[in-house]
Short mmCIF file of all heavy atoms in Angstrom, two decimals:
data_model
loop_
_atom_site.label_atom_id
_atom_site.label_comp_id
_atom_site.label_asym_id
_atom_site.label_seq_id
_atom_site.Cartn_x
_atom_site.Cartn_y
_atom_site.Cartn_z
N ALA A 105 113.53 -149.69 -59.43
CA ALA A 105 113.54 -151.02 -58.96
C ALA A 105 112.90 -151.21 -57.56
O ALA A 105 112.94 -150.25 -56.81
CB ALA A 105 115.01 -151.59 -58.91
N LEU A 110 111.96 -163.35 -50.17
CA LEU A 110 110.95 -164.40 -50.22
C LEU A 110 110.63 -164.97 -48.88
O LEU A 110 109.56 -165.82 -48.73
CB LEU A 110 111.74 -165.58 -50.92
CG LEU A 110 112.27 -165.33 -52.39
CD1 LEU A 110 112.65 -166.51 -53.12
CD2 LEU A 110 111.24 -164.55 -53.27
N PRO A 113 113.76 -165.31 -41.30
CA PRO A 113 113.82 -166.32 -40.27
C PRO A 113 112.82 -166.21 -39.28
O PRO A 113 112.39 -164.99 -38.99
CB PRO A 113 115.37 -166.17 -39.66
CG PRO A 113 115.97 -165.19 -40.57
CD PRO A 113 114.94 -164.53 -41.42
N ALA A 124 109.95 -170.15 -26.50
CA ALA A 124 108.56 -170.30 -26.25
C ALA A 124 107.97 -171.64 -26.59
O ALA A 124 107.19 -172.32 -25.79
CB ALA A 124 107.83 -169.31 -27.07
N ASP A 165 105.52 -166.68 -44.06
CA ASP A 165 106.80 -167.54 -43.98
C ASP A 165 107.01 -167.97 -42.54
O ASP A 165 107.87 -168.63 -42.20
CB ASP A 165 108.02 -166.54 -44.23
CG ASP A 165 107.85 -165.23 -43.75
OD1 ASP A 165 106.92 -164.96 -43.01
OD2 ASP A 165 108.85 -164.45 -43.87
N PRO A 207 101.06 -180.91 -25.55
CA PRO A 207 100.50 -180.99 -24.23
C PRO A 207 99.06 -181.67 -24.25
O PRO A 207 98.71 -182.24 -23.19
CB PRO A 207 100.37 -179.45 -23.89
CG PRO A 207 101.47 -178.83 -24.70
CD PRO A 207 101.65 -179.70 -26.02
N LYS A 219 115.02 -183.57 -45.45
CA LYS A 219 115.74 -182.19 -45.79
C LYS A 219 115.11 -181.53 -46.91
O LYS A 219 114.60 -182.12 -47.94
CB LYS A 219 117.21 -182.49 -45.99
CG LYS A 219 117.83 -182.92 -44.90
CD LYS A 219 119.28 -182.81 -44.68
CE LYS A 219 119.57 -183.14 -43.22
NZ LYS A 219 121.00 -183.43 -42.98
N LEU A 240 90.09 -176.91 -47.44
CA LEU A 240 90.94 -175.71 -47.16
C LEU A 240 90.55 -175.04 -45.76
O LEU A 240 89.36 -174.84 -45.49
CB LEU A 240 90.69 -174.71 -48.17
CG LEU A 240 91.52 -173.40 -47.99
CD1 LEU A 240 92.95 -173.60 -48.28
CD2 LEU A 240 91.02 -172.27 -48.86
N VAL A 259 101.15 -156.08 -47.73
CA VAL A 259 101.47 -157.49 -47.49
C VAL A 259 101.63 -158.32 -48.84
O VAL A 259 100.86 -158.12 -49.77
CB VAL A 259 100.23 -158.11 -46.66
CG1 VAL A 259 100.31 -159.56 -46.63
CG2 VAL A 259 100.29 -157.43 -45.27
N PRO A 347 119.49 -173.94 -60.96
CA PRO A 347 119.15 -173.29 -62.24
C PRO A 347 117.88 -173.77 -62.74
O PRO A 347 117.53 -174.97 -62.62
CB PRO A 347 120.31 -173.59 -63.19
CG PRO A 347 121.20 -174.39 -62.55
CD PRO A 347 120.82 -174.59 -61.04
N GLU A 353 112.00 -171.63 -70.06
CA GLU A 353 110.98 -171.18 -71.01
C GLU A 353 109.69 -171.46 -70.49
O GLU A 353 108.74 -170.73 -70.39
CB GLU A 353 111.14 -171.91 -72.31
CG GLU A 353 112.40 -171.48 -73.08
CD GLU A 353 112.21 -170.09 -73.61
OE1 GLU A 353 111.07 -169.74 -74.06
OE2 GLU A 353 113.23 -169.37 -73.58
N THR A 437 123.52 -158.82 -33.07
CA THR A 437 123.58 -159.52 -31.86
C THR A 437 124.82 -160.21 -31.61
O THR A 437 124.98 -160.83 -30.59
CB THR A 437 122.49 -160.65 -31.79
OG1 THR A 437 122.71 -161.54 -32.95
CG2 THR A 437 120.98 -159.97 -31.92
N THR A 461 120.56 -150.70 -50.33
CA THR A 461 121.72 -150.04 -50.82
C THR A 461 121.77 -150.15 -52.39
O THR A 461 122.01 -149.14 -53.07
CB THR A 461 122.95 -150.57 -50.26
OG1 THR A 461 122.83 -150.57 -48.77
CG2 THR A 461 124.15 -149.83 -50.71
N GLU A 502 139.46 -208.17 -46.55
CA GLU A 502 140.70 -208.49 -45.88
C GLU A 502 140.62 -207.91 -44.44
O GLU A 502 141.22 -208.45 -43.59
CB GLU A 502 141.78 -208.00 -46.60
CG GLU A 502 142.08 -208.50 -48.00
CD GLU A 502 142.82 -207.59 -49.00
OE1 GLU A 502 143.30 -206.50 -48.58
OE2 GLU A 502 142.98 -207.95 -50.14
N GLY A 640 135.67 -193.68 -31.13
CA GLY A 640 136.04 -192.36 -31.37
C GLY A 640 135.01 -191.73 -32.27
O GLY A 640 134.27 -192.47 -33.01
N ILE A 667 139.90 -179.74 -44.68
CA ILE A 667 139.34 -180.26 -43.46
C ILE A 667 139.63 -181.69 -43.40
O ILE A 667 139.97 -182.25 -42.34
CB ILE A 667 137.72 -180.06 -43.53
CG1 ILE A 667 137.35 -178.55 -43.68
CG2 ILE A 667 137.11 -180.70 -42.34
CD1 ILE A 667 135.95 -178.30 -44.00
N ALA A 692 125.61 -185.00 -43.58
CA ALA A 692 125.23 -184.08 -44.54
C ALA A 692 125.86 -184.28 -45.93
O ALA A 692 125.74 -183.48 -46.93
CB ALA A 692 125.88 -182.67 -44.15
N PRO A 698 124.26 -181.87 -55.56
CA PRO A 698 123.59 -180.81 -56.44
C PRO A 698 122.23 -181.31 -56.80
O PRO A 698 121.95 -182.53 -56.99
CB PRO A 698 124.54 -180.71 -57.62
CG PRO A 698 125.91 -181.17 -57.24
CD PRO A 698 125.54 -182.25 -56.20
N GLU A 721 144.75 -193.97 -44.10
CA GLU A 721 146.09 -194.47 -43.56
C GLU A 721 145.87 -195.30 -42.25
O GLU A 721 146.92 -195.67 -41.54
CB GLU A 721 147.01 -193.27 -43.24
CG GLU A 721 147.35 -192.62 -44.59
CD GLU A 721 148.59 -191.80 -44.61
OE1 GLU A 721 149.00 -191.29 -43.48
OE2 GLU A 721 149.02 -191.61 -45.73
N THR A 753 125.85 -196.59 -40.11
CA THR A 753 124.55 -196.64 -39.39
C THR A 753 123.62 -195.47 -40.04
O THR A 753 124.19 -194.39 -40.42
CB THR A 753 124.74 -196.27 -37.88
OG1 THR A 753 125.42 -194.98 -37.77
CG2 THR A 753 125.43 -197.37 -37.14
N ASN A 776 129.33 -203.83 -46.99
CA ASN A 776 129.87 -203.86 -45.67
C ASN A 776 128.82 -204.01 -44.58
O ASN A 776 127.67 -204.31 -44.91
CB ASN A 776 130.75 -202.68 -45.38
CG ASN A 776 131.87 -202.55 -46.53
OD1 ASN A 776 131.81 -203.27 -47.48
ND2 ASN A 776 132.70 -201.48 -46.50
#
Side-chain angles (χ1 to χ4, degrees):
L110 303 190
D165 49 353
K219 293 197 172 167
L240 180 73
V259 167
E353 286 294 322
T437 61
T461 306
E502 300 154 4
I667 302 168
E721 297 199 337
T753 55
N776 309 359

